[in-house]
């Protein structure tokens, strides 16, 4: 399933509804909540930072391929590779850590694979989660 949303924070509930509609038959509630966290983080970052003028879209595609959930986010905002953000050292006390980076850290920890590419003036972020191993 594929759907386009305005890259606005107000669209988050619609995005999560789309994710649930697309995945509820494949995922248990625990895994669906994890996916919600990841999708919320990614969508919020696109809504807050992708478009300098504040106006743009994000296309989200959801697939179930061979017991793997694949979600693709595509926007034509400012080029940004979240995988280039340095890993957060969560062992450090909070006051010693750099600000930011926890969201992508969480995405990397929850998902089994995260890939980014910039192609034809579009940011493309693909996240994958194996569902045959989660209970």
């Amino acid at each position: 399933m594929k759907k386009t949303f305005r890259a606005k924070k107000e669209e988050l509930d619609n995005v999560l509804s789309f994710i649930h509609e697309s995945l509820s038959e494949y995922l248990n509630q625990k895994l669906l909540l994890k996916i919600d966290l990841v999708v919320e983080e990614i969508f919020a970052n696109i809504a807050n930072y992708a478009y300098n003028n504040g106006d743009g879209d994000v296309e989200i595609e959801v697939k179930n391929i061979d017991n793997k959930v694949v979600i693709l986010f595509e926007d034509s905002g400012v080029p940004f590779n979240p995988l280039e953000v340095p890993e957060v050292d969560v062992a450090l006390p909070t006051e010693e850590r750099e600000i930011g980076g926890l969201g992508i850290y969480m995405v990397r920890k929850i998902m089994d694979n995260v890939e980014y590419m910039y192609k034809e003036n579009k940011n493309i972020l693909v996240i994958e989660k194996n569902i045959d191993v989660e209970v």
Side-chain angles (χ1 to χ4, degrees), residues 113-135:
N113 189 41
V114 182
E115 295 178 14
Y116 170 85
M117 63 195 96
Y118 189 74
K119 188 174 174 183
E120 297 176 8
N121 296 319
K122 293 185 186 242
N123 292 294
I124 302 167
L125 185 68
V126 180
I127 58 174
E128 298 177 358
K129 183 70 176 170
N130 296 322
I131 57 176
D132 57 346
V133 294
E134 282 284 331
V135 180

Side-chain angles (χ1 to χ4, degrees), residues 88-104:
V88 174
D89 185 353
V90 293
L92 285 175
T94 306
E95 59 275 3
E96 293 181 27
R97 288 188 216 150
E98 293 288 322
I99 294 175
L102 281 175
I104 193 63

Side-chain angles (χ1 to χ4, degrees), residues 25-37:
E25 71 180 272
Y26 306 111
L27 304 180
N28 62 42
Q29 191 64 27
K30 180 180 173 186
L31 188 51
L32 194 54
L33 287 173
K34 288 180 181 181
I35 299 290
D36 280 354
L37 279 172

Side-chain angles (χ1 to χ4, degrees), residues 12-67:
L12 181 59
D13 287 341
N14 294 328
V15 168
L16 293 176
S17 292
F18 170 69
I19 296 297
H20 283 229
E21 178 185 326
S22 304
L23 296 176
S24 61
E25 71 180 272
Y26 306 111
L27 304 180
N28 62 42
Q29 191 64 27
K30 180 180 173 186
L31 188 51
L32 194 54
L33 287 173
K34 288 180 181 181
I35 299 290
D36 280 354
L37 279 172
V38 168
V39 168
E40 182 174 347
E41 176 63 29
I42 293 168
F43 184 79
N45 282 338
I46 294 169
N48 288 327
Y49 304 113
Y51 296 99
N52 288 331
N53 64 3
D55 194 26
D57 293 328
V58 57
E59 184 176 85
I60 301 173
E61 183 174 6
V62 180
K63 303 178 203 174
N64 179 12
I65 304 170
D66 299 326
N67 284 326

